[in-house]
Amino acid sequence: MTATHLPSDSVRTQAPRVRAPKRAFGGRYLHLTLGVVGMAIVLGVWQICASTGFVDPNFASSPAGAFMALVDSIGSGSVWGPLGSTLAAVAWGMLISIVVGIPGGLLIGRNRVLHGLTDPVISILYSVPYVVFLPMLIFWFGIDMKARIVIVVWSALFPLLINVIAGARNLEASHIQVTQVFCASRMMALRAVAFPATLPYILAGLRQAVGRALIGAIVAELFMGSAGLGYQVQLQTSNFEMDDAMASIAVIAVVAIVLTRGVGYLERRFTFWSATD
C-alpha cells in the first residue's frame, strides 16, 4: 500500500481579503459627505443672493442672519416653549395613531369583511387633503391643543394604517399554517404571528407617519394655533422678522431629521432580518 502524496502546488491557501480603509471610508461616508457639500452650496448661493441684493433684504433672510437669530433664541430660551408645544402635539398624535393604527391595521388586514367595509373610507380620508376641512374642524374642536392633535392624528394615522393592513394581508402561507397547526386563536395569531411578521411594514409606516405628523402639527399651528413653532413662524413673518422666522424653520428641519432618522434607526435595528431597506 503506497501513500498518496499531493503536490505542494495543489494545496492553496487563500488569504482573507482585507478591504482598504480608504475604500471603506468612501463607501460609508460618501453619502453624508455629498449631502454636506450640497447643503453648503445651497447656503453659499443663498448668502451671495442676500449679500449682493439679488433679493430684497427687507423681505429675505440670510444664512448668517438666521444663524445669529437661532443662537439668540437658544440663549434667551424663547425657542423652547414653542418647540415643546409642537413636540407635545406630535407626541400625543403619534401615541393615538399607534394605539389605533397598529391593532386596527392587523384586524382589518386579516378580516376580509372589515377590509371591504373600511377600504373605501380609508382611501378617501387618506387622499383628500385635511386642509380643506380646517374650517369645520375649527368649529368642532376650536383652536386649542385638542384641534391640533386631531390634525396630527389625521396626518399620521392613515399612512401607518395602510402599511399595517398591507403587511397583514401579505403574510406568508407558512405563517398561517403555523397558527393552524397549533390551533391558535385569532387574537393569539395576531399577537404572536401577524405582529412580528408585519413589523417591517409597521416601522416603515411609522417612518412615514412621524414625518406627516410633524407637517400636520405645523399646518395646524399656522392656521389655528396660538402656540408652537408654526405659530411662531407665522407671527415672525407677519412682523417681517425674517431672520427669526428662518431660525424657527431651521429648528423645524432639525426636528424632522431627528424624528425620521430615529425611526429609521429603529427600523434597521429591529428588522435586520428583513430584506426591506
Side-chain angles (χ1 to χ4, degrees), residues 3-51:
T4 302
H5 298 279
L6 295 176
S8 59
D9 57 351
S10 64
V11 180
R12 299 178 182 177
T13 59
Q14 185 175 4
R17 294 182 180 180
V18 179
R19 183 174 294 179
K22 185 178 295 184
R23 183 178 179 183
F25 176 84
R28 184 175 182 180
Y29 296 103
L30 178 61
H31 184 72
L32 177 61
T33 303
L34 292 176
V36 172
V37 171
M39 182 61 66
I41 292 174
V42 171
L43 293 177
V45 172
W46 179 15
Q47 183 65 49
I48 291 173
C49 291
S51 301

Side-chain angles (χ1 to χ4, degrees), residues 6 75 95 123:
L6 295 176
L95 178 62
S123 299

Side-chain angles (χ1 to χ4, degrees), residues 71-207:
V71 172
D72 291 340
S73 64
I74 294 175
S76 63
S78 61
V79 70
W80 303 121
L83 177 59
S85 179
T86 299
L87 291 180
V90 172
W92 279 109
M94 284 300 301
L95 178 62
I96 296 172
S97 299
I98 290 172
V99 171
V100 175
I102 295 179
L106 292 174
L107 288 173
I108 294 172
R110 298 308 305 162
N111 190 296
R112 187 174 302 176
V113 176
L114 282 178
H115 181 262
L117 290 173
T118 58
D119 183 62
V121 178
I122 293 174
S123 299
I124 292 173
L125 292 178
Y126 177 73
S127 302
V128 176
Y130 57 83
V131 179
V132 299
F133 292 97
L134 284 180
M136 285 181 279
L137 293 176
I138 292 174
F139 289 138
W140 295 343
F141 301 103
I143 58 174
D144 56 0
M145 176 65 79
K146 182 170 61 175
R148 293 159 57 192
I149 293 175
V150 170
I151 296 296
V152 174
V153 172
W154 193 328
S155 304
L157 176 61
F158 296 106
L160 177 60
L161 194 61
I162 290 172
N163 275 273
V164 178
I165 291 173
R169 288 179 60 83
N170 290 311
L171 284 181
E172 295 183 4
S174 58
H175 295 152
I176 301 174
Q177 292 172 359
V178 168
T179 62
Q180 295 173 350
V181 168
F182 287 95
C183 300
S185 64
R186 179 164 296 183
M187 293 304 300
M188 178 64 70
L190 290 176
R191 182 179 63 84
V193 177
F195 175 76
T198 58
L199 192 58
Y201 291 87
I202 293 173
L203 292 176
L206 283 175
R207 186 170 56 178

Side-chain angles (χ1 to χ4, degrees), residues 200 203-204 207 262-272 276-277:
L203 292 176
R207 186 170 56 178
V263 179
Y265 170 78
L266 293 178
E267 187 176 1
R268 294 188 301 270
R269 174 67 176 81
F270 292 103
T271 61
F272 59 90
T276 58
D277 294 331

